[in-house]
Amino acid sequence: MTASPTIARWTSAAFVAAGLLFLLFPLLRPWPDETVASAELAAAFASDRWVVAHLAGILALALLAPALLGLRAILGGADAARHGLGAVTWALITAWAGAGAAALYFGAEIFGIRTIAEAALRDDDLGLLADVEVLRMQPWAVALFAAGLFLLAVSGVLIAVALWRSGTRARWAGFPLALGLLLLLPQFFGGPELRITHGFLVAAGCLLVAAVTRTSSVVDPPR
């Protein structure tokens, strides 16, 4: 069964855009040494690159929900029970909730940390940078961020399940994206190289799903 070409086109575009934005976040983000309070660190936190990179991350998260809404419409053209509609519906719900919770933390990173860094540069007081860790580790902020990333990981697994059940020719197409979303939380504990590699993984996963949804062909799965 085939979905509307318009739905397929926009769904594919949303996945492509999300993937590229996921990659732009670590590529654009400055990577100063954060173990020592320095003028270089303050300048990096106060830079436009810091803002643009985090905005890319927020937009990447925001685009997952509409992309999954389109995927749900595509799979809805087939028998819901047999073609993964239930799984993609829950993927949509968890992605929406997870992105919303995680975006709050990204907002604090953009504006809160930048404000601290600007104050440190303005007052020539690098001791103010100690407040960056206080902001990042605020209990409610950490809890919301962790919950958001957990929900996004669940969404990734459900995307893989939905596409596996869908009967598409590339039933495995959701696995790379699922792996990328599962690793969203652990990769934050890695260095720049690991973070950038993870960005490529999520981008590749989104592009693969985009390629599958662009054709929007659903066939009966093997019995």
Side-chain angles (χ1 to χ4, degrees):
M1 299 184 184
T2 304
S4 159
T6 300
I7 293 175
R9 189 181 309 118
W10 282 106
T11 300
S12 178
F15 274 113
V16 169
L20 294 178
L21 288 165
F22 268 115
L23 177 58
L24 281 176
F25 171 50
L27 285 178
L28 292 178
R29 183 195 189 281
W31 294 103
D33 181 1
E34 297 190 22
T35 62
V36 179
S38 63
E40 178 189 5
L41 178 60
F45 284 156
S47 68
D48 290 337
R49 280 183 60 192
W50 180 265
V51 174
V52 173
H54 283 77
L55 286 175
I58 289 176
L59 287 173
L61 294 174
L63 282 170
L64 279 179
L68 290 170
L69 190 61
L71 182 61
R72 184 181 185 279
I74 291 170
L75 296 185
D79 184 300
R82 291 190 296 125
H83 290 284
L85 186 57
V88 80
T89 298
W90 281 107
L92 169 63
I93 293 169
T94 52
W96 220 313
L104 294 173
Y105 193 88
F106 271 83
E109 284 259 311
I110 295 174
F111 303 113
I113 291 178
R114 190 185 197 194
T115 299
I116 293 170
E118 287 174 337
L121 292 172
R122 183 182 63 248
D123 300 338
D124 195 21
D125 182 4
L126 296 178
L128 293 174
L129 294 177
D131 289 337
V132 168
E133 196 65 14
V134 175
L135 184 151
R136 281 176 165 167
M137 299 309 294
Q138 201 280 333
W140 277 102
V142 171
L144 275 175
F145 191 52
L149 296 184
F150 172 76
L151 288 171
L152 287 166
V154 171
S155 179
V157 172
L158 291 169
I159 292 169
V161 170
L163 287 174
W164 182 259
R165 292 177 179 173
S166 70
T168 59
R169 293 179 179 86
R171 300 174 65 194
W172 50 270
F175 292 170
L177 179 55
L179 179 61
L181 294 180
L182 279 169
L183 293 176
L184 264 178
L185 180 57
Q187 60 93 29
F188 276 103
F189 297 97
E193 296 81 7
L194 178 62
R195 301 275 301 271
I196 292 171
T197 300
H198 177 263
F200 276 106
L201 172 62
V202 178
C206 286
L207 292 175
L208 184 57
V209 175
V212 171
T213 57
R214 187 68 180 85
T215 61
S216 68
S217 296
V218 180
V219 299
D220 288 333
R223 299 179 184 278

